[in-house]
Amino acid sequence: MTTPPLRTERGGPLTASVVTDLPFKPQLVKAVFRDVTSLHVSRPATWAAASVTRTVLTEIIDAARSVATEEDRKRLIPRDLVSAIDRNVEVEVGSTWYLYSPTFHGLTGDMRNADGALVSLRERRGRRTPGGVAGAHRFEPGVKRLLASRGVRAVPALIRDLDVIASVFLTALARDAAKAVRESGVKRFGTVSRVVPDEPAPAPLLKDPLLALSTRREDGRTVGRNDILAAVTMQLFGDLRQRALTKAAATTRNVPAN
């Protein structure tokens, strides 16, 4: 008897294969969005957000793995995460978690108030933990799958940090995507051009795909794929941002809207 193809939601074998490849499942992504906004989230948006989160965590894990390899270790430890971020500022995401993590305790530098007095860690944290920390344990299965796919293992303390970084990052991504819907585009998006003295300024790059995200044409009740891509431009920068955008676009290329 032939085994029927795996089906996830509605979409058949094609969409099922894409979902299987995502360590952070669409159901988890939708749950995070529900914590942030009452807006409907389209299927392409859900998969784009899952793809971006995978790209970010993969980059962090690979950077930490490089540090561990240099020390001839096969298991990642929290120090590898600190070294990875120190070497590549692009992977410093979910930074609101760092004040709460034992891994980063004492590594964020002193903060002083207007009178020059040291601000205590408790004052810097505020009364509440950052959004995204609650329920971060939901990311543990995805983080473990991602670690396995990269051929590495990690101690429980590092897995916990990766769980929360993924959760805080995706929560921030959801907030910015919802903001793009409410503001009908990325209002604070801008560009910087290099200008040579005594020469005319270059013409604007009207065909730049990132600039195209600054204007929204979809309805105002649904978070779409382009809203996720717009949020990426606010959350990430450099080569990591470009890789996240490219992979998210490829992941959602053949995904139906509903």
Side-chain angles (χ1 to χ4, degrees), residues 80 95 128 193-194 211 233 241:
D80 299 329
S95 56
R128 299 180 59 187
S193 300
R194 185 175 299 174
L211 292 179
T233 68
R241 178 172 73 177

Side-chain angles (χ1 to χ4, degrees), residues 156-257:
L158 180 55
I159 292 176
R160 179 205 59 219
D161 275 333
L162 292 173
D163 291 349
V164 183
I165 288 173
S167 181
V168 172
F169 170 75
L170 182 54
T171 299
L173 194 72
R175 287 198 183 104
D176 281 343
K179 184 175 182 178
V181 175
R182 292 193 305 268
E183 297 184 351
S184 298
V186 187
K187 299 302 184 185
R188 62 184 176 185
F189 192 86
T191 59
V192 177
S193 300
R194 185 175 299 174
V195 179
V196 178
D198 301 324
E199 290 189 9
L205 301 176
L206 297 179
K207 295 184 179 180
D208 189 330
L210 296 182
L211 292 179
L213 297 174
S214 63
T215 301
R216 190 175 190 278
R217 296 179 177 82
E218 293 85 355
D219 73 75
R221 299 180 301 277
T222 301
V223 177
R225 187 196 73 155
N226 284 347
D227 298 314
I228 300 298
L229 301 184
V232 170
T233 68
M234 292 186 278
Q235 289 291 322
L236 304 176
F237 66 95
D239 292 339
L240 177 56
R241 178 172 73 177
Q242 191 56 52
R243 281 192 292 275
L245 290 170
T246 300
K247 291 181 180 180
T251 298
T252 58
R253 184 170 295 121
N254 297 316
V255 177

